[in-house]
Amino acid sequence: MKRLLLLTSLIALVPLAAARSLSDIQASGTIRIGTEAAYAPFTYYQGKKLTGFEIELAEAIAKQMGLKVEWIDKPFDSLLIGLGQDRFDFVIASHGITAERQKAATFASPHYCSGGLIVVKKGGPKTAAALKGKTVAVQVGTTYYDQLKKLGGLKDVKTYPQNTDALQNLRAGRVDALVSDRFAGLEALKKDQTLEAGELLFQERIGMAVAKNNPGLAKALSAALKKVQANGTYTKISKKYFGEDIRCE
Ligand code: ARG
């Protein structure tokens, strides 16, 4: 019994691992970045290669800081928690900057601006008003879930581990609509002519997150972002994936 108690108290201590400061990271030469690699065109696998807008942008930012990169691919809803457990130094995974999340993590300046887009099979409910009484799919742990709950009047909001699962269920006709990132939604549309875009439900600013109380690292990320935005690197990567520059105005 005593042993069991000791074990449970040790487990309770795990989340308290301290984050590495900027100088710890600089001394090691490598920055560990957490993401969820199932969110094209931001973070995904092309064969065995991790790629996408946020992958290339984070690598440009690390290079600007003189650091090598170690990527860690984890489920989306575990990423901000993982920061508190020192599993990675920062996460880049299309996180909308919200007051709720700012209680648990510190965000760098936004690296793009986007919003929650309704995606349907042709003929489906395309406006917030048309979603009343309908079943809508979202990825678990996303701002889309909160926004849809706020909207109210829906029949159900179904959550899926990955956005790709939510999309599959839309295709299969198990839900009436999907809400995802605007650019991720438009990417899905390119690959499937049976889908169409509806209204943009809300807008959000997307940022990289570091552990709470690691503001030095957040500042350094923001400064490196500013440099790659000033020297043409950001525009080049953004145009490659979107045909336009998606930075916040
Ligand atoms: N922008 C949304 C949010 O902040 C969705 C992000 C989903 N990201 C991902 N890598 N799956 O919650």
Side-chain angles (χ1 to χ4, degrees):
M1 186 59 190
K2 246 194 197 152
R3 196 175 274 176
L4 191 70
L5 275 178
L6 184 66
L7 205 69
T8 44
S9 52
L10 278 178
I11 289 167
L13 284 175
V14 170
L16 296 175
R20 299 199 304 168
S21 68
L22 179 60
S23 51
D24 294 338
I25 296 165
Q26 281 163 337
S28 85
T30 301
I31 192 157
R32 301 163 308 156
I33 316 177
T35 193
E36 187 228 19
Y39 210 57
F42 295 101
T43 54
Y44 60 102
Y45 279 98
Q46 200 164 52
K48 282 192 173 154
K49 195 182 174 312
L50 197 55
T51 189
F53 173 70
E54 287 182 309
I55 303 294
E56 289 199 39
L57 178 61
E59 287 181 348
I61 286 170
K63 191 170 165 201
Q64 180 67 46
M65 294 167 76
L67 298 168
K68 288 199 201 109
V69 169
E70 181 193 337
W71 283 106
I72 302 162
D73 179 12
K74 292 282 177 210
F76 178 71
D77 65 343
S78 75
L79 291 174
L80 295 183
I81 301 163
L83 283 175
Q85 299 168 335
D86 193 35
R87 288 182 180 218
F88 9 78
D89 301 309
F90 77 92
V91 301
I92 186 163
S94 294
H95 281 96
I97 303 172
T98 65
E100 191 61 30
R101 286 176 177 164
Q102 278 170 324
K103 288 182 200 158
T106 301
F107 284 88
S109 328
H111 59 277
Y112 76 94
C113 269
S114 188
L117 182 75
I118 302 175
V119 177
V120 295
K121 289 221 273 191
K122 283 188 175 151
K126 293 206 292 189
T127 61
L131 289 182
K132 297 267 143 87
K134 303 290 185 201
T135 301
V136 186
V138 294
Q139 182 179 23
V140 70
T142 57
T143 48
Y144 316 127
Y145 179 83
D146 300 332
Q147 292 289 337
L148 285 169
K149 283 284 164 180
K150 246 194 237 163
L151 194 66
L154 303 180
K155 183 170 175 211
D156 196 11
V157 182
K158 281 200 167 35
T159 57
Y160 298 91
Q162 299 190 326
N163 193 57
T164 45
D165 307 317
L167 200 59
Q168 221 163 26
N169 279 275
L170 174 67
R171 284 207 193 91
R174 282 191 281 271
V175 296
D176 301 302
L178 157 82
V179 174
S180 79
D181 175 87
R182 170 169 174 250
F183 297 105
L186 294 177
E187 180 80 5
L189 253 52
K190 272 195 226 158
K191 291 176 188 153
D192 186 340
Q193 309 296 319
T194 70
L195 302 178
E196 64 179 334
E199 200 167 81
L200 197 67
L201 268 189
F202 69 103
Q203 297 186 11
E204 61 181 358
R205 299 175 337 134
I206 306 293
M208 298 171 272
V210 307
K212 192 84 190 161
N213 303 325
N214 201 1
L217 179 58
K219 270 205 194 107
L221 291 174
S222 299
L225 170 64
K226 204 170 169 187
K227 282 193 187 136
V228 301
Q229 283 188 324
N231 72 12
T233 307
Y234 180 99
T235 307
K236 195 171 150 214
I237 302 171
S238 183
K239 286 209 165 139
K240 171 175 168 186
Y241 288 96
F242 308 105
E244 60 177 306
D245 190 317
I246 67 166
R247 77 180 71 186
C248 299
E249 306 276 281

